[in-house]
Amino acid sequence: MEIIDTHCHLYSEYFSDIDEIIKQSNKLNVTKFINNACDKSSCIEVLRSVEKYNCIYGAIGIHPEYVQDYKEDDIKFIEQHVNDKRIVAIGEIGLDYYYTKENKVEQKRLLEEQLKIAEEYNKPVIIHNREATQDIIDILKKYKVKGIIHAFNGSLETANIFIKMGFLLGIGGVITFKNCNLKDIVDKIDVKNLVFETDAPYLAPVPYRGKQNIPGYTCYTLEFVANLKNMEPEQLAIIANENLKRIFDI
Ligand SMILES: [Zn+2]
C-alpha cells in the first residue's frame, strides 16, 4: 500500500530530524508527502526539502495568517519558483476569518494574487478555509483553478459545490475524533472526490489525538474512512492516489 499525505508542514521548526520522520512514516505505508508552505521562510524550506528528498513534493504560497507580514516581493518569489522541480501546487492559501474579520479585504487580495499565478501557470491550489466558505466559493469561481480544499469540514451542500467546481476534499485526522459529524457527511460523498492528509505537526488523528502529528498518521485517517465505506484500506489508497493524480503532477 502506498499512501500520500497531501498536506503537511515539514519544517525544521517542528521536526528536528526529517529523515527520521520520513522513515517512521514509510513504516506506516505513507511514502509521499506534499509539504505546504505558509510564508516566505517556509517557502524556502519547502524548496530545500524537495531538492533533498525525492519523496517530498512542494506547495508554495502565503497563508492568510501572514497577511499582515508578507511583502509584494514574496508573491514574486512564488511566481519565480512555481515551475521548479516537484513544486506541484500553490498553497497553503485561502481565507481565515476565525481570529479576525477586520482584514478581509487584505486577505482576499492576497488570495487572488496567488490564484492569478495558479491560473497563469496552470498549477493546482491547496485551499485553507476557516469560517469563510461563501467568500472562498465566490473568489474561486473567478479563476480557472482546481485543487484541494484542505481539512474539509463543511456541510454536504458545501462539499457538493466544491466538487462541482473541480476540487478534491482533503480529509484529515479530525474525522476520527469522537462526536465529529464530518463522518456522516463523508459517508455520503463518493470516494472519487477524497484525498487524505495530516496537517502535521497539528491535529493528530486517534489514537494519537493531542500528540504531535507526523505524516505517517495519514494511515489512521485513511483506515477510518475505509471502514466507514466498507472498503479495504489498500483499495481506498489506490483510489485516493488516482484522485490526486487527476489534478496534481505526482
Ligand atoms: Zn496546513
Side-chain angles (χ1 to χ4, degrees):
M1 174 157 59
E2 185 189 84
I3 300 171
I4 303 173
D5 181 1
T6 61
H7 192 110
C8 53
H9 301 279
L10 293 174
Y11 316 156
S12 52
E13 146 186 32
Y14 305 129
F15 300 105
S16 56
D17 188 349
I18 303 228
D19 290 271
E20 181 56 31
I21 295 298
I22 290 173
K23 222 184 275 167
Q24 284 179 27
S25 297
N26 288 167
K27 279 188 196 146
L28 296 166
N29 298 317
V30 179
T31 53
K32 288 180 180 162
F33 315 87
I34 302 181
N35 195 7
N36 279 247
C38 293
D39 62 354
K40 169 84 180 279
S41 72
S42 53
C43 282
I44 293 168
E45 282 216 47
V46 165
L47 291 166
R48 283 195 192 130
S49 71
V50 300
E51 284 226 340
K52 186 164 177 200
Y53 301 98
N54 279 325
C55 57
I56 298 184
Y57 297 80
I60 50 173
I62 310 289
H63 188 288
E65 207 179 300
Y66 293 89
V67 67
Q68 310 295 355
D69 309 324
Y70 86 100
K71 306 203 171 46
E72 258 333 289
D73 264 4
D74 300 350
I75 303 294
K76 281 189 203 126
F77 181 82
I78 290 164
E79 186 167 5
Q80 279 159 9
H81 290 279
V82 67
N83 277 330
D84 282 14
K85 201 172 145 198
R86 285 209 310 284
I87 294 301
V88 293
I90 304 288
E92 162 176 6
I93 61 174
L95 300 174
D96 194 322
Y97 297 163
Y98 177 76
Y99 296 106
T100 176
K101 294 179 177 66
E102 276 162 27
N103 54 18
K104 275 189 181 183
V105 174
E106 292 83 356
Q107 286 197 40
K108 287 182 191 173
R109 194 197 314 129
L110 171 60
L111 172 59
E112 293 206 43
E113 281 188 74
Q114 298 180 93
L115 288 173
K116 278 178 203 152
I117 297 174
E119 187 178 64
E120 189 179 336
Y121 293 90
N122 206 13
K123 286 277 170 178
V125 290
I126 296 177
I127 297 292
H128 172 100
N129 166 29
R130 205 164 177 200
E131 300 191 2
T133 301
Q134 194 54 53
D135 282 356
I136 290 271
I137 291 169
D138 292 343
I139 291 175
L140 288 178
K141 276 188 175 160
K142 292 161 64 179
Y143 298 89
K144 263 200 227 71
V145 289
K146 291 178 177 182
I148 296 174
I149 305 298
H150 150 61
F152 177 76
N153 195 7
S155 65
L156 185 59
E157 189 196 357
T158 303
N160 286 328
I161 292 170
F162 284 132
I163 290 165
K164 236 179 152 179
M165 290 166 69
F167 281 82
L168 297 164
L169 308 178
I171 307 300
V174 169
I175 197 170
T176 68
F177 295 178
K178 238 187 192 165
N179 306 322
C180 171
N181 62 8
L182 180 61
K183 57 180 168 299
D184 305 323
I185 292 159
V186 169
D187 195 25
K188 297 188 183 85
I189 298 171
D190 193 314
V191 289
K192 72 172 196 288
N193 303 301
L194 306 180
V195 288
F196 297 93
E197 58 170 60
T198 56
D199 210 11
Y202 310 110
L203 291 170
V206 172
Y208 293 104
R209 187 174 182 180
K211 304 252 166 59
Q212 189 186 51
N213 203 357
I214 65 164
Y217 297 167
T218 314
C219 73
Y220 298 108
T221 302
L222 182 127
E223 269 168 33
F224 184 92
V225 175
N227 253 329
L228 190 68
K229 298 282 188 187
N230 279 319
M231 296 171 80
E232 292 301 323
E234 289 80 0
Q235 194 190 353
L236 184 56
I238 290 168
I239 293 169
N241 294 348
E242 284 171 357
N243 297 341
L244 186 71
K245 286 170 189 177
R246 280 205 304 274
I247 301 181
F248 286 71
D249 184 17
I250 285 185

